[in-house]
Amino acid sequence: STIPNKIIGESKTIKNIISLASRAAKSESNILLEGETGTGKELFSEFIHQNSNRNNKPLVTVNCASLPDQLIESELFGYEKGAFTDAKSTKQGLVEIANGGTLFLDEIGELSIALQPKLLRFLENGEFRRVGGINTLTSDVRVIGATNKNLMEEAEQKQFRRDLLFRLNVITLIIPPLRERGNDILLLAKYFLTGKSSVRQPKKFSADTEKILLRYGFPGNVRELEHTIERAIIFSEGEEIHPK
């Protein structure tokens, strides 16, 4: 079975997307993971990498939202010694480190328009230049992008290059929000309850608490559920976790 223990769920929705992901993993195509914040896109990138023919090589993750433009470029493509004031030596970029493996670009919708052509060129032929470098280098990676934006809409508003989008979304997988996963909410809640309890005998949810969990919409998805359970463990008294 290819399902890793990291993606927890029995619902039809999640099983369906896991099955699509394992089929997609076997291809060499670039993959775009779409879904709301907190749905587990990074877990799916790991799952795809682990079930691909590249799983003996690195999986390298870059969060495109957490770094300014200049830093992202030198992180991705590396830099030559003397390219800028602090460049005391040549540094390999993450596209080189991921050679033979998978490059996961999280929050790819945040990548600036200025950097998009450089990424496009890399996706087209595996070629790139280090910042401050004149030599063209190559690296063979499979790219997985993840976004909570609608990149089609972004492309229509000229916020995202259409040609880059079509390079990325050869396969698009839409990770379902938690509210569409039915009883998985309780499965995950119990998983977090056990995992985050410091005692051997974890607390239990009262029946009313379970009803509330199933009724709630979870705009922050699995991440929100995880933090909610963590707080409940700390603030609940006694063996049972009640609605309050």
Side-chain angles (χ1 to χ4, degrees), residues 67-105:
L67 297 168
D69 280 8
Q70 296 81 355
L71 265 179
I72 280 224
E73 185 175 1
S74 54
E75 276 289 303
L76 274 178
F77 302 120
Y79 53 79
E80 295 293 347
K81 182 179 177 179
F84 43 84
T85 322
D86 292 334
K88 305 270 189 283
S89 59
T90 296
K91 179 178 178 284
Q92 270 194 322
L94 295 173
V95 298
E96 273 177 270
I97 292 166
N99 190 18
T102 308
L103 181 67
F104 175 53
L105 299 175

Side-chain angles (χ1 to χ4, degrees), residues 19 23 31 48 54 93 117 140 143 147 152 157-158 184-185 225 238:
S19 137
R23 297 223 300 271
I31 296 176
I48 290 164
R54 296 174 172 269
D140 162 34
V143 173
T147 181
M152 268 309 191
Q157 291 160 14
K158 305 278 190 284
D184 283 357
I185 292 174
L225 173 64

Side-chain angles (χ1 to χ4, degrees), residues 177-191:
L178 186 55
R179 62 185 169 277
E180 286 173 17
R181 290 177 53 184
N183 238 17
D184 283 357
I185 292 174
L186 293 183
L187 264 183
L188 284 157
K190 284 168 185 166
Y191 170 77

Side-chain angles (χ1 to χ4, degrees), residues 28-30 54 57-58 60 94-105 119 122-123 126 128 138-144:
E28 281 291 305
S29 303
N30 295 328
R54 296 174 172 269
K57 292 282 199 264
V60 174
L94 295 173
V95 298
E96 273 177 270
I97 292 166
N99 190 18
T102 308
L103 181 67
F104 175 53
L105 299 175
L119 179 60
F122 177 65
L123 291 183
F128 66 97
T138 60
S139 177
D140 162 34
V141 300
R142 172 227 236 136
V143 173
I144 302 175

Side-chain angles (χ1 to χ4, degrees), residues 1-7 15 18-23 25-26 46-48 50-52:
S1 149
T2 49
I3 300 179
N5 51 10
K6 280 190 168 181
I7 300 175
K15 282 189 158 168
I18 289 170
S19 137
L20 290 174
S22 61
R23 297 223 300 271
K26 299 284 178 256
E46 283 173 31
F47 173 77
I48 290 164
Q50 244 101 56
N51 287 286
S52 75

